[in-house]
Amino acid sequence: CAFSELAERAISGNARHTALLVSGDVGFFSAAGKLRERLLPYGGVTLVPGLSSMQYMCAKCGISYENLCFKSLHGRAGNILGAVSYHAATFALTGGENNAQAVCLMDAGLGALSVHLGENLGAENERIVHGTAAEIAQLSCSDLAVLLLENPHAANKNEPIRDEMLTRGKVPMTK
């Protein structure tokens, strides 16, 4: 049934115990939190995490997620330019208007970045593609996909901007 109906069906079933299955890690941009809130007034709720798309994709690509930046654009407005600019590796869930092609940072001049695209992870029709952001942006892919972007030249977010780092003419910026 539709996600919006899950809690109501569980409540109306009048069963002593009910199990609802939601794929992935219940603590990683999951619908499980909303289900839990809705069902708690009716009794105890136990969440059992599964393997997240982030864990699966990182394992498939041989990339550690210890220092990964996590972003979700699935059903959300926003972009990942800041995350990719300041992190050596960024994992992004995509979907809707923010599909994989739309978020590949071509407008920001980052087409040479290494990108890993994952679709239908764990399914029979799984597809994992490795290429540059420019190459990935040209691919046709499903609405729900994950991206793992690597930026070896990420800026140090803890370093202050110094005057000598800016390009300007001979005229002072302030008096």
Side-chain angles (χ1 to χ4, degrees):
C1 69
F3 173 76
S4 59
E5 299 174 23
L6 280 177
E8 296 310 318
R9 281 199 175 181
I11 294 165
S12 66
N14 294 321
R16 182 175 161 106
H17 298 283
T18 302
L20 300 175
L21 301 179
V22 178
S23 65
D25 184 336
V26 296
F28 186 70
F29 300 106
S30 174
K34 289 182 181 177
L35 278 174
R36 181 180 183 277
E37 287 176 23
R38 180 71 180 98
L39 296 173
L40 267 177
Y42 298 91
V45 175
T46 302
L47 298 178
V48 180
L51 185 65
S52 71
S53 55
M54 177 273 302
Q55 293 168 309
Y56 187 93
M57 186 67 172
C58 285
K60 286 286 190 167
C61 295
I63 296 173
S64 170
Y65 49 89
E66 291 172 352
N67 297 309
L68 210 56
C69 177
F70 308 105
K71 292 292 175 184
S72 177
L73 297 175
H74 175 67
R76 296 182 166 103
N79 66 60
I80 59 172
L81 179 58
V84 172
S85 297
Y86 289 102
H87 295 89
T90 301
F91 178 85
L93 299 168
T94 68
E97 290 181 20
N98 284 318
N99 62 24
Q101 297 95 328
V103 300
C104 262
L105 307 171
M106 295 306 300
D107 294 342
L110 297 174
L113 289 184
S114 177
V115 176
H116 312 277
L117 165 74
E119 295 177 290
N120 305 313
L121 299 177
E124 205 172 285
N125 60 340
E126 172 180 284
R127 178 172 83 146
I128 297 177
V129 180
H130 313 279
T132 65
E135 293 166 342
I136 299 297
Q138 299 302 311
L139 296 178
S140 174
C141 66
S142 66
D143 191 37
L144 296 175
V146 299
L147 293 174
L148 185 51
L149 303 99
E150 296 180 276
N151 184 0
H153 306 293
N156 180 352
K157 65 182 176 205
N158 298 313
E159 182 179 1
I161 297 174
R162 294 181 174 79
D163 209 36
E164 61 270 9
M165 298 167 90
L166 303 173
T167 303
R168 60 185 174 93
K170 301 277 185 202
V171 178
M173 294 174 93
T174 59
K175 291 188 176 187

